[in-house]
């Protein structure tokens, strides 16, 4: 079955640590996205990539980094510079890079908690 | 920048109807609707691109007004499976690279 996988489902981080969230898709989509979701809020864009080896900052990129070395993979690193990283992180992909008219397919998410 | 959704939450009995609104201060290029069940990934419902457009299935449909500043999601004869949080996502007409999700409407359907 085609889809998006994220791992781990739950992640605990000590303050000062960097952690990496995995996102893999087998939909052959060009574009991939990372969103952050806080309780009672919508999804906010962290980073996006429209093509391999290229990515752009979203609305809340500070304290995060990404890479896109393969079409199917888009890992997100939450660095120690992110002051309030506890949140639900969602990875998504779409056929094309224009979210205005492309359906986004979401992974099941990773819940990150800072201890 | 973010579209405004209303209401923030609604509780229904099975079989009742609900309307969820998504409004923008600027004309929109498109409106997307997603549903997210608790702890799960959001799932795409539909996209509207044309002013005056209405689309959807029998019991879940949506409209996009002529001025393209408001969309409404209609849930008819609600079922327990409709429970979840509904998000609209919008792209501006004058800069459709800017795409924002609303804060969501939590729908709880009770037996």
């Amino acid at each position: 079955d085609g889809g998006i996988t994220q791992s781990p489902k739950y992640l605990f981080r000590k303050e000062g640590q960097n952690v990496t969230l995995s996102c893999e898709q087998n939909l052959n989509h060009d574009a991939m996205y990372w969103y952050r979701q806080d309780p009672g809020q919508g999804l906010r864009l962290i980073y996006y990539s429209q093509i391999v080896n290229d990515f752009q900052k979203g609305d809340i990129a500070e304290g995060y980094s990404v890479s896109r070395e393969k079409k199917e993979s888009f890992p997100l690193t939450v660095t120690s510079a992110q002051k309030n990283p506890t949140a639900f992180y969602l990875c998504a992909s779409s056929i094309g890079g224009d979210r205005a008219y492309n359906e986004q397919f979401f992974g099941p998410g990773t819940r990150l908690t800072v201890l | 920048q973010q579209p405004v959704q209303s209401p923030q939450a609604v509780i229904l009995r099975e079989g009742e109807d609900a309307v969820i609104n998504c409004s923008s201060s600027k004309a929109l290029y498109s409106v997307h609707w997603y549903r997210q069940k608790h702890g799960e990934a959001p799932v795409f419902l539909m996209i509207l691109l044309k002013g005056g457009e209405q689309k959807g299935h029998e019991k879940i449909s949506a409209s996009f007004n002529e001025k393209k500043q408001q969309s409404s999601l209609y849930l008819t004869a609600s079922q327990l499976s409709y429970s979840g949080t509904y998000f609209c996502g919008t792209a501006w007409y004058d800069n459709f690279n800017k795409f924002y999700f609303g804060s969501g409407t939590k729908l709880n359907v009770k037996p």
Side-chain angles (χ1 to χ4, degrees):
Chain A
D1 284 338
I4 301 180
T5 57
Q6 290 185 242
S7 63
K9 188 171 181 178
Y10 299 97
L11 185 58
F12 298 91
R13 190 195 93 169
K14 292 182 181 178
E15 284 195 25
Q17 280 184 336
N18 293 353
V19 290
T20 297
L21 283 60
S22 169
C23 176
E24 304 276 332
Q25 55 101 357
N26 61 3
L27 299 166
N28 200 32
H29 285 174
D30 286 321
M32 296 186 75
Y33 314 89
W34 274 105
Y35 290 95
R36 170 179 172 143
Q37 187 175 31
D38 294 285
Q41 294 192 34
L43 294 88
R44 294 184 290 168
L45 183 67
I46 304 172
Y47 267 97
Y48 66 99
S49 169
Q50 295 180 311
I51 196 168
V52 174
N53 292 323
D54 185 58
F55 48 83
Q56 306 295 329
K57 291 182 179 180
D59 302 309
I60 55 165
E62 187 174 347
Y64 301 97
S65 65
V66 294
S67 63
R68 186 89 187 273
E69 297 175 2
K70 298 186 293 182
K71 186 175 185 177
E72 58 270 22
S73 179
F74 192 41
L76 173 75
T77 296
V78 184
T79 75
S80 56
Q82 171 48 238
K83 296 305 176 191
N84 184 22
T86 295
F88 189 49
Y89 290 87
L90 286 160
C91 178
S93 70
S94 61
I95 291 175
D98 194 332
R99 291 181 295 160
Y101 51 81
N102 283 300
E103 172 186 352
Q104 295 178 64
F105 294 78
F106 286 85
T110 292
R111 191 167 296 280
L112 174 64
T113 303
V114 173
L115 302 172
Chain B
Q1 293 173 328
Q2 187 182 32
V4 176
Q5 281 189 241
S6 63
Q8 288 185 320
V10 59
I11 299 174
L12 298 174
R13 294 284 180 191
E14 264 187 301
E16 292 181 339
D17 302 339
V19 180
I20 299 170
N21 297 307
C22 175
S23 299
S24 170
S25 58
K26 300 174 66 165
L28 299 169
Y29 179 83
S30 66
V31 177
H32 302 223
W33 286 98
Y34 288 82
R35 177 172 63 203
Q36 183 181 28
K37 294 191 179 279
H38 183 69
E40 297 181 9
V43 174
F44 176 80
L45 295 176
M46 66 190 84
I47 177 176
L48 298 105
L49 291 166
K50 299 178 183 176
E53 183 177 10
Q54 290 198 341
K55 71 189 306 184
H57 310 290
E58 256 183 28
K59 295 188 176 180
I60 300 179
S61 61
S63 65
F64 197 8
N65 76 345
E66 288 288 348
K67 286 189 176 180
K68 301 186 77 174
Q69 286 184 259
Q70 177 163 316
S71 176
S72 296
L73 185 72
Y74 306 95
L75 300 126
T76 308
S78 59
Q79 305 167 11
L80 296 175
S81 61
Y82 288 3
S83 292
T85 301
Y86 290 80
F87 293 97
C88 66
T90 59
W92 291 345
Y93 196 82
D94 61 0
N95 186 358
F96 55 83
N97 289 320
K98 292 292 184 183
F99 183 91
Y100 296 100
F101 284 98
S103 57
T105 295
K106 192 168 183 179
L107 179 72
N108 187 3
V109 181
K110 297 190 171 183

